[in-house]
Amino acid sequence: AAANFDRLARWYSWLEYAAFGGALERCRFVLLPELAAARRVLVLGEGDGRFLQELLATNPRARVDVVEASAKMLDLACGRLTVRQRARVKFNLADARSWDFPEAEYDAVVTCFFLDCFTPETLAVLMPRISRSAAPGASWLLAEFAESTSLRSWVWLGAMHAFFRATTCLEARRLGPFADLLSSGGWRRLRQV
C-alpha cells in the first residue's frame, strides 16, 4: 500500500517548519525559474500544494499533471489555487508505483522530497518509468535529501524515516540511490544548489 499522509496533511507544513525552518521550502523553489518555459509538467508527490502554487504563478502557460497518493494533500493543494489555476491542473489521486505513466509526454518532471519515500528496489523500477514519460530534452527538477557522512545527519535522516514509517507506513528506511539511477537513465546534472 502507498504511504498514507492523510493524518499528517493538515499539520505537514508545521512539522516541516519545526524540523527544518524554511530550508525545504527554499530547496523546492530555488530552481523553479528553470521551469519557466515548460508547457507540460508532471509533479509527483506534490503534498499540500506549495510548490504547485508557485509553479503556476511563475509559469502562466504550463499545464500540470499532479500524482499524489493522499486525498487530503490533494484537497489542500487544490484549495491553494485560483479557479483559473485549477483549470490548468489535472489532479490524479494515485500511487505513483502503479500509475499509468504516458510515454514522452512531459517537458518537465518534478519530485520534491518524494523519492526518499521509496526503497532502492522500488526506485529501480519507478524511476525508469518516470523517465519514459519525459519528452526528449525534458528537465527533471529534483529537491531531495542527500546522504551525508556526518553522524548528526545520519541520525536525523534515520529518525525522520522512522517517524514517517510509523505515522504513514512509508516503505523506505534510508535514502535510495537517486543520483545513480538518474545517471543510468540518461539524465545529466545541469545545476545543483
Side-chain angles (χ1 to χ4, degrees), residues 2-183:
N4 189 335
F5 281 79
D6 282 352
R7 289 188 319 169
L8 296 180
R10 189 203 247 162
W11 312 108
Y12 188 82
S13 64
W14 292 102
L15 290 169
E16 181 181 302
Y17 286 125
F20 299 102
L24 298 190
E25 192 151 298
R26 286 190 301 276
C27 186
R28 282 184 193 97
F29 298 156
V30 70
L31 293 176
L32 193 55
E34 301 292 324
L35 302 184
R39 294 295 167 259
R40 289 288 291 131
V41 181
L42 173 63
V43 179
L44 296 166
E46 169 50 27
D48 63 12
R50 287 173 283 160
F51 179 86
L52 180 62
Q53 183 181 33
E54 288 296 316
L55 170 63
L56 294 170
T58 302
N59 183 334
R61 293 181 297 275
R63 300 196 58 77
V64 182
D65 286 350
V66 172
V67 177
E68 170 61 59
S70 166
K72 293 196 177 180
M73 287 291 199
L74 277 183
D75 288 344
L76 289 171
C78 189
R80 288 181 183 274
L81 306 181
T82 67
V83 172
R84 290 183 84 163
Q85 288 173 325
R86 273 187 231 125
R88 297 169 38 214
V89 179
K90 181 178 180 188
F91 291 100
N92 298 279
L93 178 60
D95 180 346
R97 296 172 300 178
S98 58
W99 193 60
D100 188 18
F101 287 89
E103 291 284 323
E105 175 76 17
Y106 304 103
D107 55 356
V109 174
V110 177
T111 54
C112 293
F113 306 102
F114 169 75
L115 298 176
D116 64 315
C117 296
F118 302 104
T119 63
E121 295 78 19
T122 296
L123 290 171
V125 174
L126 178 61
M127 289 180 69
R129 293 179 60 227
I130 296 169
S131 290
R132 285 191 296 275
S133 74
S139 300
W140 188 328
L141 188 150
L142 176 112
E144 196 54 80
F145 295 102
E147 288 287 351
S148 172
T149 56
S150 92
L151 178 61
R152 181 176 182 263
S153 294
W154 184 81
V155 169
W156 189 243
L157 281 170
M160 281 191 339
H161 275 112
F163 171 78
F164 285 111
R165 274 196 325 274
T167 58
T168 70
C169 296
L170 190 75
E171 74 173 52
R173 295 181 179 276
R174 59 186 168 88
L175 294 180
F178 319 128
D180 293 343
L181 289 168
L182 286 168
S183 180

